[in-house]
């Protein structure tokens, strides 16, 4: 065990705040889970360990959100100032959702699936909670 | 353990159907909409239904909790039409809520527990401002791992659309053509929210601009209108306003009965021969971002139960919350091979009009109006041979 923390979403977000992107791995069959799962859904083992992802991947799907939820209005986004969010396939294999930065949300038609991305750890405006983001080089 | 083929314990028939007007109704709560649909349903039953004979209610509802501040909606709906103290159960399964309510009603009758069941779908969405509707709909995603980083519900389907475009070469115009076709179908239904084709909508906006002496937009065809960001703004790229189902208030009710009682209610009942249901991972954990495992699983079960194949289906009404959803659905249902559905957006794919979803109907003889659609006051679109002949998965 690299870490003794319980495999839970709370631990995942604690790690994010520490700037670590952590997945869970089944010690029996080595299946990798991100978001971290407490039970292996391939072999049904529940002996999971934490494993840190390098944070490199490529864009698998995305959208430029013009009509956002309340929390992104608070961040300053709106119909004239959209943001990007997407699904990133990590080099280690798992896919995960995250905010996408370093690409132009106003020109989504120019964004290519497969664009290389690196993990970022964003703070919410007022909250203490950190959320997952990826940045294009 | 080997899997047993799915089957219903006994036959189930649909003998009545009704829906409320769909739209934005400031003065109507979910119970008012439910009562409107219930009254339309009772009127539709040829030989009549005595409310006292209804044994149970299953009501599909995604989120009256957040939309109206009203949880526990099932007993309220039951009370408003005089069903108390009969069992009343709310089904919450996001967009599939009312479809699953139908299935639960079918299962309840097939099990032998009840003979006569009312199933319904109801949603009252327009009380809230758009951003709070967006928050509420995002509650159907994974709140901890998807909504937390800014995914909205239109955004998730939009992300599927970008994956679909990259994998298969579809363009935004293909999505727009799905919307044009669906608005044409909606124009056939007097109870539809807009009840207007894109062409008519475009025409009335041009007319309005002329009357007001404003600059007349240079739209020659529907695609010009849909590509104009002023007329059709982005919600979550590539999904624009007319790619998205609107924020709507509405309800529908169906009356299901045991097969052997069906002729006591009407002369030509619709028999339910197959039903299926599935589940899927959060989007990012799906192996393929252009297909929905739940839909493929549900379709396989329903086809197996009914003893039919995709190519036997003459008419289908699929979930079209977003235009991309329809393309993915008709592939997952086996009408088209993966990556082929968008190519069919020129000859339009027949589809019904905004009703509860998720049940396979007994194939009807050629040319006969689909009773359910007719009862709801809608004109039924006719099945076209393309669906049957262009699919061989």
């Amino acid at each position: 065990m690299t870490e003794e923390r319980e495999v839970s979403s709370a631990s995942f977000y604690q790690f994010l705040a520490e700037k670590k992107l952590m997945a869970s791995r089944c010690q029996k069959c080595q299946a990798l889970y991100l978001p971290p799962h407490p039970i292996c859904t391939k072999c049904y083992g529940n002996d999971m360990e934490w494993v840190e992802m390098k944070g490199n991947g490529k864009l698998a799907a995305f959208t430029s959100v013009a009509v956002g939820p309340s929390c992104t209005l608070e961040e300053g986004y709106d119909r004239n100032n959209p943001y990007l969010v997407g699904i990133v396939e990590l080099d280690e294999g798992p896919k995960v959702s995250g905010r996408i930065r370093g690409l132009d949300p106003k020109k989504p038609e120019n964004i290519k699936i497969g664009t290389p991305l690196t993990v970022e750890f964003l703070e919410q405006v007022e909250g203490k909670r950190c959320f997952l983001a990826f940045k294009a080089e | 353990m080997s899997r047993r083929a799915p089957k219903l314990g006994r036959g189930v028939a649909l003998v009545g159907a009704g829906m409320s007007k769909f739209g934005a109704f400031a003065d109507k709560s979910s119970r008012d909409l439910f009562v409107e649909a219930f009254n339309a349903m009772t009127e539709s039953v040829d030989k009549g239904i005595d409310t006292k004979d209804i044994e149970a209610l299953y009501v599909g509802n995604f989120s009256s909790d957040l939309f109206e501040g009203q949880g526990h909606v099932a007993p309220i709906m039951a009370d408003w039409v005089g069903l108390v103290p009969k069992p009343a159960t709310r089904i919450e399964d996001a967009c599939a809520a009312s479809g699953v309510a139908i299935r639960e009603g079918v299962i309840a009758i097939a099990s032998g527990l009840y003979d006569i069941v009312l199933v319904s779908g109801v949603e009252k969405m327009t009380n809230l401002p758009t951003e709070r509707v967006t928050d509420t709909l995002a509650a159907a995603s994974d709140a901890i791992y998807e909504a937390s980083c800014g995914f909205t519900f239109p955004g998730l389907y939009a992300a599927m659309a970008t994956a679909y475009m990259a994998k298969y070469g579809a363009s935004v115009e293909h999505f727009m053509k799905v919307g044009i076709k669906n608005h044409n179908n909606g124009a056939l239904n007097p109870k539809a929210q807009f009840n207007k084709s894109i062409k008519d909508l475009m025409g009335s906006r041009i007319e309005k601009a002329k009357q007001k002496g404003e600059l007349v937009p240079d739209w020659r065809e529907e695609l010009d209108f849909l590509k104009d960001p002023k007329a059709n703004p982005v919600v979550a790229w590539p999904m624009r306003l007319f790619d998205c189902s609107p924020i709507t208030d509405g309800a529908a009710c169906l009356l299901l009965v045991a097969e052997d009682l069906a002729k006591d209610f009407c002369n030509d009942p619709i028999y339910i021969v197959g039903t299926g249901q599935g589940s899927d991972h959060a989007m990012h954990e799906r192996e393929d971002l252009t297909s929905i495992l739940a839909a493929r699983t549900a379709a396989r079960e329903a086809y197996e139960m009914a003893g039919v194949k995709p190519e036997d289906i003459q008419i289908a009404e699929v979930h079209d919350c977003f235009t991309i959803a329809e393309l993915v659905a008709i592939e997952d249902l086996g009408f088209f091979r993966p990556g082929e559905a968008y190519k069919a957006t020129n000859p339009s794919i027949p589809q019904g009009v905004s009703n509860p979803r998720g049940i396979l109907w007994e194939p009807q003889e050629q040319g006969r109006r689909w009773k359910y659609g007719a009862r709801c006051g809608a004109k039924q679109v006719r099945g076209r041979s393309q669906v049957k002949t262009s699919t061989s998965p």
Side-chain angles (χ1 to χ4, degrees), chain A residues 9 12-13 34-37 60-70 73 79 83 85-87 95-99 108-109 113 124 129 131-132, chain B residues 130-132 134-135 143-152 155-156 158-160 162-163 166 233-238 283-289:
Chain A
S9 54
F12 173 83
Y13 279 101
L34 184 67
H37 282 229
F62 73 96
T63 180
S64 174
V65 178
V67 180
S70 310
L73 293 183
R79 284 165 205 258
Y83 62 90
V85 60
I87 296 172
K95 293 194 287 291
V96 69
S97 295
R99 194 71 65 84
E109 60 279 3
I113 298 292
Q124 251 160 5
R129 190 142 132 165
F131 68 92
L132 191 55
Chain B
T130 302
E131 68 273 14
R132 287 191 53 212
T134 305
D135 293 344
I144 296 174
Y145 293 111
E146 291 179 322
S148 57
C149 55
F151 256 124
T152 59
L156 285 165
M160 287 183 84
T162 61
V234 168
V235 173
W237 191 89
M283 182 93 76
H284 47 233
E285 290 196 65
R286 294 177 187 174
E287 212 164 295
D288 185 347
L289 298 175

Side-chain angles (χ1 to χ4, degrees), chain B residues 28-350:
Chain B
K28 284 185 181 171
S29 69
S30 57
R31 72 186 81 182
D32 300 322
L33 296 160
F34 174 81
V35 169
E36 192 180 327
F38 178 81
N39 286 336
M41 182 282 292
T42 55
E43 282 166 25
S44 79
V45 182
D46 291 339
K47 300 177 186 174
I49 170 71
D50 186 341
T51 302
K52 291 190 186 73
D53 292 334
I54 297 173
E55 296 169 283
L57 165 68
Y58 294 90
V59 51
N61 172 260
F62 166 55
S63 193
S64 272
D65 320 48
L66 299 174
F67 284 131
E68 296 184 286
Q70 176 66 67
H72 202 29
V73 295
I76 291 174
M77 303 300 152
D79 195 17
W80 246 242
V81 296
L83 289 176
V84 166
K86 306 282 175 58
T89 307
R90 175 234 185 129
I91 310 286
E92 192 283 286
D93 243 334
C95 312
S98 59
V100 177
I102 296 172
R103 180 177 154 88
E104 289 301 319
V106 168
I107 291 169
I109 292 171
S111 77
L113 187 62
Y114 307 122
D115 289 326
I116 303 170
V117 168
L118 175 65
V119 297
S120 173
V122 60
E123 212 71 60
K124 166 72 199 180
M125 301 175 71
T126 63
N127 282 357
L128 300 179
T130 302
E131 68 273 14
R132 287 191 53 212
V133 173
T134 305
D135 293 344
T136 301
L137 294 177
S141 71
D142 184 329
I144 296 174
Y145 293 111
E146 291 179 322
S148 57
C149 55
F151 256 124
T152 59
F153 215 70
L156 285 165
Y157 274 93
M160 287 183 84
T162 61
Y164 189 95
M165 290 161 86
K167 189 171 176 185
Y168 298 125
S171 72
V172 292
E173 288 186 15
H174 294 110
F175 304 136
M176 289 171 180
K177 284 176 182 172
V178 173
I180 292 169
K181 184 262 296 171
N182 289 356
H183 278 269
N184 285 341
N185 286 345
L188 299 173
N189 187 346
K191 292 191 176 181
Q193 183 163 7
F194 298 128
N195 191 220
K196 222 172 205 181
S197 68
I198 300 286
K199 193 170 226 161
D200 288 347
L201 197 68
M202 189 173 94
S204 60
R205 297 245 179 118
I206 289 172
E207 206 46 49
K208 215 177 193 176
K210 278 182 188 163
Q211 280 172 7
K212 285 187 173 174
E214 290 169 356
L215 190 66
V216 178
D218 182 26
W219 303 317
R220 283 191 209 133
E221 52 168 30
E222 289 115 312
L223 282 178
D224 297 332
F225 172 83
L226 292 176
K227 285 177 189 167
D228 182 341
K230 284 202 183 99
N232 189 20
V234 168
V235 173
W237 191 89
M239 294 290 104
R240 292 165 177 261
L241 185 65
F242 287 98
D243 289 295
C244 304
S245 51
I247 296 166
T248 305
D249 306 330
C253 282
L254 301 181
L255 187 66
L256 301 176
V257 303
E259 189 176 42
D260 53 350
L261 299 178
K263 294 277 172 81
D264 296 344
F265 295 92
C266 69
N267 294 324
D268 55 349
I270 294 170
Y271 297 99
I272 290 166
V273 296
T275 165
Q277 188 182 350
S279 59
D280 203 348
H281 309 286
M283 182 93 76
H284 47 233
E285 290 196 65
R286 294 177 187 174
E287 212 164 295
D288 185 347
L289 298 175
T290 64
S291 173
I292 297 176
L293 177 62
R296 297 202 308 275
T297 305
R300 194 171 54 234
E301 184 188 353
Y303 289 144
E304 196 180 337
M305 196 183 291
V308 301
K309 293 189 167 68
E311 52 267 36
D312 297 323
I313 303 299
Q314 295 177 330
I315 191 156
E317 181 179 339
V318 303
H319 189 44
D320 63 340
C321 52
F322 304 98
T323 49
I324 179 64
E326 174 165 325
L327 296 180
V328 169
I330 58 180
E331 291 179 9
D332 286 336
L333 290 168
F335 302 148
F336 294 90
R337 289 194 189 90
E340 296 285 325
Y342 79 90
K343 296 175 187 167
T345 52
N346 276 330
S348 66
I349 300 151

Side-chain angles (χ1 to χ4, degrees), chain A residues 32-109:
Chain A
L32 201 54
Y33 294 94
L34 184 67
H37 282 229
I39 293 174
C40 178
T41 51
K42 294 202 170 67
C43 77
Y44 300 100
N46 55 10
D47 198 4
M48 308 297 277
E49 62 180 350
W50 286 105
V51 44
E52 186 172 357
M53 301 288 97
K54 290 207 176 78
N56 301 317
K58 57 184 191 202
L59 190 62
F62 73 96
T63 180
S64 174
V65 178
V67 180
S70 310
C71 63
T72 60
L73 293 183
E74 287 159 20
E75 283 183 59
Y77 295 110
D78 61 27
R79 284 165 205 258
N80 300 316
N81 183 26
Y83 62 90
L84 295 169
V85 60
I87 296 172
V88 177
E89 184 173 356
L90 297 175
D91 290 351
E92 291 90 343
K95 293 194 287 291
V96 69
S97 295
R99 194 71 65 84
I100 307 297
R101 309 215 311 159
L103 297 168
D104 188 354
K106 290 184 178 169
K107 292 190 175 127
E109 60 279 3

Side-chain angles (χ1 to χ4, degrees), chain B residues 323-390:
Chain B
T323 49
I324 179 64
E326 174 165 325
L327 296 180
V328 169
I330 58 180
E331 291 179 9
D332 286 336
L333 290 168
F335 302 148
F336 294 90
R337 289 194 189 90
E340 296 285 325
Y342 79 90
K343 296 175 187 167
T345 52
N346 276 330
S348 66
I349 300 151
Q351 205 210 10
V353 279
S354 53
N355 284 319
R357 305 162 167 102
I359 292 279
L360 281 175
W361 311 96
E362 185 183 56
Q364 304 289 298
E365 66 266 26
Q366 190 79 25
R368 179 180 153 187
R369 271 199 177 183
W370 196 27
K371 180 181 170 183
Y372 178 27
R375 289 295 164 83
C376 291
K379 286 179 190 157
Q380 182 57 52
V381 294
R382 291 188 61 172
R384 290 171 61 149
S385 57
Q386 285 95 325
V387 168
K388 285 172 71 182
T389 56
S390 62

